[in-house]
Amino acid sequence: MTDRSIELEVLRYNPETDSEPYWQRYSVPHHHEWVVLDALNHIKENIDPTLNYRWSCHMAVCGSCGMMINGSPKLACKSFMRDYENLIRVEPLAHFPIERDLVTGMDDFVSKLARVKPYLIPKQDKPVEEGEYRQTPAELKRYKQYSMCINCMICYSACPEYGLIPKFLGPAAITLAHRYNLDSRDGGREQRQEEVASGEGVWECTFVGACSEACPKHVDPAGALQQVKIASTIDWFKEQLSSWLK
Amino acid sequence: MAKSNKPIVWGPFAAGGTVTAFVTPVLILLTLLAALGHVPDGLTYEGMHGFASHWLAKLAIFAVITLSLWSSAHRLRSTFFDFGLRRDKQIATIVYFMAIIGALASLMFLYCI
Amino acid sequence: METIQADIAIIGAGGAGLRAAIAAAEADPHLTIALVSKVYPMRSHTCAAEGGAAGAVKADDSLEHHFNDTVGGGDWLSDQDAVEYFVKEAPRELVQLEHWGCPWNREPDGSVAVRPFGGMEIKRTWFAADKSGFHILHTLYQTSLKYPSIKFYDEFYATDLLVDDGHCRGLTAIEMRSGRMYQFRARAVIIAGGGAGRMFPFSTNGSIKTGDGMALAYRAGVPLKDMEFVQYHPTGLPNTGILLTEGCRGEGGILVNAHGRRYLQDYGLGPETAVGKLVLKTMELGPRDRLSQAFWHEQQKGNTIPTPWGDCVYLDMRHLGEKLIDERLPFVRELATSYLGVDPVKDMVPIRPVVHYMMGGIHTDIRAATPLGGLFAAGECACVSINGANRLGSNSLTELLVFGRRAALSAIEHLNSDAQAGNDAALSAQAQAAQDRIRALFMRPVGTESISGLRREMMDTMELNAGIYRTEKGLAEAAMKLAELRRRYAAGVSLHDKTNVYNTDLLQALELGSMLDCAEALVLSGLARKESRGAHQRLDFTGRDDMNYLKHSLAYYHPSEPPRIDYCKVVVTKSQPGVRNYSGDKK
Amino acid sequence: MAKVNSKPYQREISNTRWYWRNETYMRYIARELTCVFIGIYTVVLLVGIWRLSQGQVAYETFLQALRSPMSIVFHLVALAFSVYHSVTWFNLTPKALPIQIGEQFVADRVIIGAHYLGWAVVSVVFIFLAGVF
Ligand SMILES: Cc1cc2nc3c(=O)[nH]c(=O)nc-3n(C[C@H](O)[C@H](O)[C@H](O)COP(=O)(O)OP(=O)(O)OC[C@H]3O[C@@H](n4cnc5c(N)ncnc54)[C@H](O)[C@@H]3O)c2cc1C
Ligand code: SF4
Ligand code: F3S
Ligand code: FES
């Protein structure tokens, strides 16, 4: 099914030998159903074993293979070669430090994720023996979309504010906090707000919306962040009001 | 980390953004008509004066002007940042200050009508 | 070499590893837990699981039913004491996950919803749409962030176990981002390294499922149990091997051949049931081994549809309707639409069987303990065995939880009993040897054996000779081939990339080593098992032979020769081997 | 494997030109720039109120000033930008304020549509009040 070949330009960087990244060009066969990841695997197996990148699932669920493809952050395993012209440029995810080739540093995201307490902080503790918490399908649906995040960090790469302000907690972390805040079983919002509603939290977002456009899982972080802003604003005015009334 | 006081500036911004979204285009359209020489009845001196004399109208005008100045100021602040001007504190002080001056001025003018 | 001290070291941060870490952290906050994983936890392949996790909670269900389905599904090769423990713990674990926030699908009254899966008498699969594994993994990962005593060593590739005086006392691992080797000293080690499906070319498994965990234990002298049992999942996308969950059939999808005819009734899974009317444990709701075998027969008869990616049959879900598909199988729709260009709402989806799961693995007992002191194992890399000769769909996710936790508790018991630090000098020498071995790989000039070449040969052999149906001749050829590949690997494999930082050339070389070891254990165990049982089907020994083979195979590693195959007893408590009956007339 | 020299490479982002990078960013900047026009226009209104408070003559000079070509051009540009603001604002509302009724969320287009409808009503009422007809 190879009809033609296609040029792949990959940004390479090896900290041990290069002072800065450079482009390297590979010629790969074009298959109709190939994704960019297949092309990279083809290169790794047949042309250049020194090319490095992350991947695992090949089904857009593990979140490993985020990279810039022709300037936009994408999952390589979900970007079909057929959707591109004859030259595809592949770079590491923007805004993150390049560890090597297409591999970028994850530390920042992982520590931010931990900071927003992305776990259920139950309203009331309930022993496991007493069975599940009740949650209606409507209550489930309320937060479900925001629980679909695969931590691929594509939204961070898409968000210019994160690029400009690296301290910004960023779309995915705040969205995950919001996911738990919306959960009918949860009572931990107050604790999460310490980070989420801080200056480096949701308030660095200017609603560019690029995060949601880029998100491969349709999580809609931009929406989540605006909801968080509205809720935090209501909180703030309530707090002020109640302290005046005292 | 402490929670931010951003809501105090963001709340009016969001309100202003909503108000301007609803009313600014039509207002521009009306003054555009005037600019083109077809002053609508309501925009003549008599029309406007009569309208703006009512306290409810004053309130509405005040609200529209204040909120839209505020939301413009707030957006301008982040736009400056986006254009690479990073002295956020100073810029914020200036733009919000200007919006407040505008609001106070409108209050005064309306009082005088 | 830097040394990292921990009380418990866990290799693998998938479902099993994370569950173990949390259990240990909860049991005793003073313990230091080192969670070593070659990928960031949320990348682990548990995220790919779609269908759900089994646990008997509903009023019409019982532990007894779950037990019987599991043991029968496993063709009586399961250890029944382990299955009993498993079914008893299962509901508790699933509720626990619910308490941690897992977004299980719900009934209108707010209780957890269950769906049917293959081989089940009663429906009991808890599910979170068709991303159950994803939600389980992320719930566990996010929950694990709560515990300061869990230390994450992400993107650390474990290379060797450190063993002294018959006790496992740590491991060595390479930090990918620096290429540096560390030794981890721990009083107990838990392996949760996942499966090994990547030995085969056509698999639902992610690239990380290379059997490292199994190989680590195997090389340290722990036998691999029941390795010949490889599960083929009947419904994979033909071009990529991407799985369409058994939930497709659980929700009512049917299989039809080239003539538009359902065919499972011809293979002991009938009588044919009405489309849209689910009858549990028959037709499409039969177990995976039977369905995959039925495909093979249809293929022999020429009833399959030729496609550019091989012969297929159709999975037809059109009658389920868009609403149900979007609510319960949205991911399936997304996958089929984007990767194959076929929308299950409107079209029949071509599918074929695909390598999915390893029933076999590290020999553990019901406590998740291996024969090596201080070493425990859980998850897909382990073989307890509850899955016997064929795992029932949705038992694995539950197994991760039940035995992940169990492994942690056993490890703590071990700490409290006699666990010592071991002989420092001896352990350091071992770590040094491990490092030297890897350094030698770097020193070797670029030779004739390429990693991808050897890997390809291994995969082709496995596909050809160790697939759904096997023969003496095929397995013997595979055994020879694998011995040759192992030899060539040992003598000639070399690295193109001789730098340190994030060297995936090195990673792939090491992973290939693991796969070759596992593959050889698999093929030799298969060669020795002269019967057909569950997922191990021999064309030359078509019947099940309880007289001679109602026993677990154990493969023992040898550095340069094929493994020695031995056996151990299957624990039978209350269910005597019987006939696996998936015809609708069982009642 | 002895000497390790790991230094991740940090790419620079242009602080002042980043928004040329793609269309989404340009659309965003265009949206943000609406504030300049809306802001200036509000100042025009403010001046109008001021002149109004000064009496008929002053107000009429103001109306006269509006008729300059500069003002007409400004009005046209400002109109375009303010409409752009309204459209972007309304289109994003369902993200910020989703409404769940029972299990289902109200469809985005319903929320957006309701806003457009409201916008039309407000505009017609204004035009009517202003006595255009
Ligand atoms: C597509 C698919 C769908 C499935 N659907 C279902 C289902 O619906 N229901 C069900 O019950 N089961 C299902 N299964 C099976 C089940 O998902 C897996 O068996 C299970 O997730 C394995 O979990 P694990 O924790 O053992 O391993 P994994 O999640 O694979 O994790 C392995 C971990 O080990 C680490 N590791 C491996 N080697 C090393 C090393 N050398 N050094 C350091 N770390 C290492 C990895 O980094 C990873 O963290 C499915 C499987 C697949 C592939
Ligand atoms: S929100 Fe979307 S883009 Fe961002 S990390 Fe999650 S899945 Fe990726
Ligand atoms: S792109 Fe960035 S600015 Fe906000 S809406 Fe998304 S996080
Ligand atoms: S490889 Fe898993 S998301 Fe692309």
Side-chain angles (χ1 to χ4, degrees):
Chain A
M1 293 248 293
T2 315
D3 23 24
R4 58 195 166 104
S5 78
I6 207 164
E7 300 288 299
L8 214 66
E9 260 192 356
V10 183
L11 195 68
R12 303 287 314 269
Y13 174 68
N14 183 338
E16 290 164 87
T17 52
D18 308 325
S19 57
E20 57 181 47
Y22 61 95
W23 291 97
Q24 185 161 352
R25 198 178 264 236
Y26 302 97
S27 200
V28 295
H30 178 275
H31 293 271
H32 185 73
E33 77 270 19
W34 265 19
V35 290
V36 171
L37 177 60
D38 293 316
L40 292 172
N41 285 341
H42 175 87
I43 296 171
K44 177 102 185 155
E45 274 173 37
N46 304 300
I47 306 173
D48 185 353
T50 69
L51 181 65
N52 297 286
Y53 50 94
R54 294 189 178 104
W55 74 287
S56 172
C57 69
H58 199 294
M59 56 191 280
V61 70
C62 75
S64 317
C65 69
M67 51 191 77
M68 307 300 285
I69 302 179
N70 283 358
S72 308
K74 301 264 186 206
L75 292 179
C77 69
K78 222 193 161 190
S79 302
F80 289 85
M81 307 271 284
R82 57 176 181 253
D83 297 334
Y84 294 91
E85 300 293 322
N86 292 327
L87 176 70
I88 304 179
R89 301 189 117 206
V90 183
E91 299 165 67
L93 275 184
H95 304 154
F96 293 100
I98 308 177
E99 301 264 359
R100 173 150 188 210
D101 295 343
L102 300 171
V103 178
T104 49
M106 291 265 297
D107 305 346
D108 185 50
F109 172 72
V110 168
S111 67
K112 281 173 176 166
L113 182 64
R115 268 165 53 194
V116 303
K117 303 189 193 259
Y119 38 80
L120 200 80
I121 303 174
K123 262 191 219 126
Q124 326 146 279
D125 270 321
K126 180 169 175 173
V128 171
E129 292 67 35
E130 285 174 24
E132 75 255 40
Y133 291 97
R134 293 286 156 141
Q135 182 166 69
T136 63
E139 288 167 332
L140 169 67
K141 184 132 188 180
R142 190 147 172 256
Y143 68 86
K144 185 69 191 266
Q145 181 180 18
Y146 306 121
S147 71
M148 302 299 245
C149 171
I150 60 174
N151 299 358
C152 64
M153 303 173 355
I154 279 180
C155 49
Y156 284 75
S157 239
C159 174
E161 301 303 324
Y162 175 66
L164 299 171
I165 312 161
K167 280 185 178 166
F168 174 31
L169 264 185
I174 297 176
T175 302
L176 280 162
H178 188 53
R179 168 249 177 278
Y180 284 101
N181 291 343
L182 289 182
D183 194 315
S184 58
R185 299 164 287 185
D186 185 82
R189 176 158 175 272
E190 213 25 64
Q191 295 183 39
R192 291 185 201 104
Q193 283 293 88
E194 292 298 315
E195 290 284 344
V196 169
S198 72
E200 290 159 11
V202 72
W203 296 112
E204 295 294 11
C205 163
T206 52
F207 205 176
V208 177
C211 52
S212 288
E213 276 179 37
C215 173
K217 293 283 138 188
H218 311 295
V219 173
D220 191 13
L225 267 62
Q226 307 326 302
Q227 292 164 31
V228 169
K229 284 184 205 167
I230 294 175
S232 308
T233 301
I234 295 174
D235 276 0
W236 191 88
F237 282 101
K238 263 196 202 149
E239 270 167 35
Q240 299 304 314
L241 205 66
S242 66
S243 67
W244 282 339
L245 291 181
K246 257 182 224 157
Chain B
M1 192 159 307
K3 281 196 240 173
S4 163
N5 286 325
K6 261 292 181 46
I8 192 174
V9 293
W10 191 83
F13 156 75
T18 311
V19 168
T20 51
F22 278 111
V23 306
T24 309
V26 65
L27 289 177
I28 299 182
L29 201 64
L30 292 173
T31 52
L32 178 63
L33 279 179
L36 293 172
H38 309 280
V39 182
D41 290 350
L43 256 61
T44 58
Y45 179 73
E46 297 76 33
M48 266 317 272
H49 196 81
F51 172 70
S53 299
H54 196 276
W55 67 269
L56 205 64
K58 286 188 193 201
L59 193 68
I61 295 173
F62 172 71
V64 168
I65 289 188
T66 306
L67 288 176
S68 79
L69 280 178
W70 188 269
S71 78
S72 298
H74 182 79
R75 254 198 180 160
L76 199 60
R77 170 187 176 187
S78 60
T79 308
F80 273 126
F81 191 90
D82 287 337
F83 280 129
L85 277 127
R86 292 300 142 79
R87 324 189 91 166
D88 188 51
K89 275 237 166 61
Q90 284 95 319
I91 289 172
T93 317
I94 295 168
V95 295
Y96 293 138
F97 183 71
M98 282 172 28
I100 290 170
I101 295 284
L104 290 176
S106 76
L107 208 59
M108 201 171 80
F109 304 149
L110 287 166
Y111 178 75
C112 292
I113 290 173
Chain C
M1 196 186 315
E2 214 172 301
T3 303
I4 293 165
Q5 298 285 351
D7 294 303
I8 301 178
I10 302 174
I11 302 172
L18 285 167
R19 184 67 189 89
I22 296 173
E26 282 203 322
D28 182 352
H30 301 298
L31 296 176
T32 313
I33 300 143
L35 188 53
V36 180
S37 173
K38 68 176 173 178
V39 293
Y40 279 89
M42 61 284 207
R43 315 296 185 217
S44 304
H45 206 59
T46 298
C47 72
E50 299 169 19
V57 284
K58 294 289 175 186
D60 58 352
D61 203 358
S62 68
L63 301 184
E64 194 73 20
H65 279 122
H66 193 182
F67 173 90
N68 286 330
D69 287 345
T70 303
V71 173
D75 221 347
W76 280 274
L77 198 68
S78 316
D79 280 339
Q80 296 181 11
D81 54 347
V83 177
E84 253 174 272
Y85 175 77
F86 166 73
V87 301
K88 185 166 95 1
E89 291 291 306
R92 193 188 166 283
E93 280 301 312
L94 296 178
V95 170
Q96 175 64 76
L97 216 50
E98 196 275 340
H99 284 204
W100 285 332
C102 189
W104 298 117
N105 271 44
R106 303 287 177 153
E107 300 290 355
D109 71 352
S111 62
V112 167
V114 291
R115 69 161 39 132
F117 247 55
M120 285 185 183
E121 184 89 45
I122 314 274
K123 55 180 182 174
R124 71 171 70 88
T125 298
W126 296 41
F127 63 104
D130 50 1
K131 292 200 178 177
S132 310
F134 164 79
H135 285 300
I136 291 176
L137 183 69
H138 282 252
T139 301
L140 288 171
Y141 173 54
Q142 291 167 3
T143 301
S144 75
L145 297 174
K146 218 163 41 173
Y147 303 95
S149 59
I150 303 176
K151 303 274 180 268
F152 292 88
Y153 296 91
D154 298 329
E155 301 197 324
F156 277 65
Y157 181 92
T159 64
D160 291 83
L161 296 179
L162 300 178
V163 180
D164 172 48
D165 187 24
H167 275 76
C168 182
R169 311 216 189 262
L171 59 121
T172 51
I174 302 169
E175 182 187 36
M176 291 300 294
R177 74 160 66 174
S178 65
R180 226 175 283 153
M181 187 106 153
Y182 288 80
Q183 54 170 324
F184 289 77
R185 293 289 182 78
R187 294 188 292 147
V189 175
I190 300 172
I191 303 185
R198 281 272 153 182
M199 291 180 283
F200 291 80
F202 188 63
S203 161
T204 61
N205 287 192
S207 66
I208 62 172
K209 300 196 79 165
T210 54
D212 296 325
M214 297 178 188
L216 280 170
Y218 184 46
R219 290 183 200 135
V222 179
L224 296 183
K225 182 159 77 186
D226 291 341
M227 284 296 279
E228 61 272 38
F229 297 98
V230 178
Q231 178 163 78
Y232 275 74
H233 197 295
T235 58
L237 290 183
N239 51 348
T240 51
I242 289 174
L243 176 79
L244 300 188
T245 169
E246 192 157 303
C248 297
R249 285 171 285 125
E251 298 295 344
I254 56 169
L255 296 178
V256 297
N257 63 20
H259 313 297
R261 182 175 169 272
R262 285 170 88 189
Y263 56 86
L264 293 172
Q265 64 279 12
D266 302 348
Y267 305 100
L269 291 148
E272 191 175 336
T273 53
V275 176
K277 196 172 155 288
L278 286 180
V279 181
L280 293 171
K281 219 171 173 176
T282 181
M283 289 298 287
E284 282 80 7
L285 293 178
R288 292 177 181 170
D289 54 341
R290 288 294 181 78
L291 266 62
S292 296
Q293 289 151 19
F295 170 89
W296 185 89
H297 289 289
E298 285 290 289
Q299 191 178 28
Q300 301 300 308
K301 292 184 194 163
N303 287 342
T304 47
I305 303 110
T307 74
W309 316 283
D311 293 338
C312 289
V313 290
Y314 287 124
L315 172 62
D316 189 354
M317 291 180 270
R318 293 172 301 176
H319 52 282
L320 302 182
E322 186 162 5
K323 184 170 177 295
L324 184 134
I325 291 182
D326 281 347
E327 183 190 307
R328 299 200 156 191
L329 302 164
F331 194 36
V332 163
R333 188 175 184 191
E334 179 192 327
L335 291 169
T337 312
S338 50
Y339 291 100
L340 198 62
V342 176
D343 181 355
V345 171
K346 298 190 215 100
D347 305 300
M348 298 196 284
V349 189
I351 45 98
R352 65 182 173 115
V354 50
V355 169
H356 184 57
Y357 181 86
M358 299 291 299
M359 265 71 74
I362 303 167
H363 177 37
T364 61
D365 62 17
I366 185 171
R367 296 168 47 250
T370 73
L372 182 63
L375 183 68
F376 305 83
E380 190 171 339
C381 69
C383 181
V384 178
S385 128
I386 61 155
N387 298 314
N390 170 61
R391 172 178 71 97
L392 280 199
S394 73
N395 266 353
S396 171
L397 289 174
T398 312
E399 180 184 354
L400 308 179
L401 302 168
V402 171
F403 288 97
R405 171 166 170 273
R406 180 68 247 201
L409 299 184
S410 300
I412 291 174
E413 279 165 26
H414 175 77
L415 297 188
N416 295 339
S417 63
D418 79 319
Q420 273 132 37
N423 177 334
D424 183 57
L427 294 170
S428 288
Q430 269 180 47
Q432 193 56 47
Q435 182 167 33
D436 292 345
R437 199 164 49 80
I438 285 163
R439 201 171 275 156
L441 267 180
F442 277 85
M443 296 315 214
R444 226 181 243 178
V446 175
T448 44
E449 299 294 0
S450 82
I451 296 163
S452 58
L454 289 171
R455 190 169 54 210
R456 176 56 44 197
E457 286 184 49
M458 167 192 72
M459 286 177 166
D460 290 346
T461 303
M462 297 305 282
E463 164 134 298
L464 190 66
N465 299 314
I468 299 179
Y469 280 95
R470 302 161 172 178
T471 61
E472 183 85 22
K473 183 166 161 286
L475 289 167
E477 269 169 28
M480 279 204 0
K481 183 75 190 176
L482 286 167
E484 174 205 319
L485 290 175
R486 267 186 73 197
R487 208 168 43 244
R488 281 163 55 193
Y489 175 87
V493 79
S494 60
L495 304 178
H496 284 262
D497 186 345
K498 306 214 185 272
T499 60
N500 301 297
V501 176
Y502 217 89
N503 183 342
T504 53
D505 198 27
L506 168 65
L507 192 75
Q508 292 193 350
L510 298 175
E511 289 175 338
L512 175 60
S514 302
M515 286 191 285
L516 285 171
D517 288 348
C518 292
E520 201 179 31
L522 187 164
V523 163
L524 275 117
S525 310
L527 194 57
R529 186 176 287 277
K530 297 184 188 334
E531 65 158 353
S532 289
R533 181 189 297 269
H536 175 70
Q537 293 291 316
R538 299 267 310 239
L539 291 170
D540 41 2
F541 299 93
T542 52
R544 192 174 82 193
D545 179 358
D546 288 332
M547 275 289 285
N548 296 305
Y549 290 103
L550 185 60
K551 55 190 182 185
H552 300 295
S553 65
L554 296 174
Y556 288 87
Y557 179 77
H558 189 284
S560 56
E561 275 168 34
R564 171 174 66 85
I565 305 296
D566 201 348
Y567 292 92
C568 69
K569 278 222 301 263
V570 171
V571 181
V572 176
T573 55
K574 49 190 185 189
S575 172
Q576 288 305 315
V579 181
R580 292 173 78 202
N581 188 350
Y582 296 103
S583 64
D585 59 5
K586 55 193 173 289
K587 274 156 203 161
Chain D
M1 289 195 35
K3 200 172 115 279
V4 181
N5 167 29
S6 156
K7 50 168 181 2
Y9 186 85
Q10 191 73 52
R11 286 159 290 177
E12 290 294 323
I13 321 156
S14 159
N15 272 348
T16 49
R17 289 189 314 278
W18 59 268
Y19 38 84
W20 296 117
R21 228 172 61 195
N22 64 44
E23 216 188 295
T24 308
Y25 293 177
M26 286 191 264
R27 273 188 275 125
Y28 159 74
I29 285 290
R31 188 190 84 193
E32 296 299 281
L33 284 177
T34 59
C35 76
V36 174
F37 296 91
I38 294 174
I40 295 176
Y41 181 74
T42 312
V43 173
V44 172
L45 285 186
L46 192 58
V47 171
I49 301 294
W50 174 44
R51 302 305 259 171
L52 186 68
S53 74
Q54 290 175 328
Q56 181 152 10
V57 183
Y59 185 68
E60 257 145 34
T61 348
F62 167 72
L63 286 182
Q64 201 55 41
L66 283 185
R67 299 175 72 156
S68 77
M70 263 283 283
S71 150
I72 293 177
V73 171
F74 170 76
H75 267 81
L76 290 171
V77 178
L79 182 63
F81 272 95
S82 77
V83 168
Y84 188 61
H85 165 68
S86 306
V87 169
T88 51
W89 194 273
F90 295 142
N91 287 354
L92 291 174
T93 310
K95 284 180 183 285
L97 292 166
I99 303 169
Q100 193 183 16
I101 299 177
E103 201 182 321
Q104 300 307 321
F105 282 95
V106 176
D108 284 6
R109 55 192 160 72
V110 175
I111 298 182
I112 296 172
H115 278 85
Y116 278 38
L117 192 70
W119 185 23
V121 169
V122 168
S123 302
V124 169
V125 167
F126 270 56
I127 290 173
F128 185 76
L129 283 181
V132 176
F133 305 123

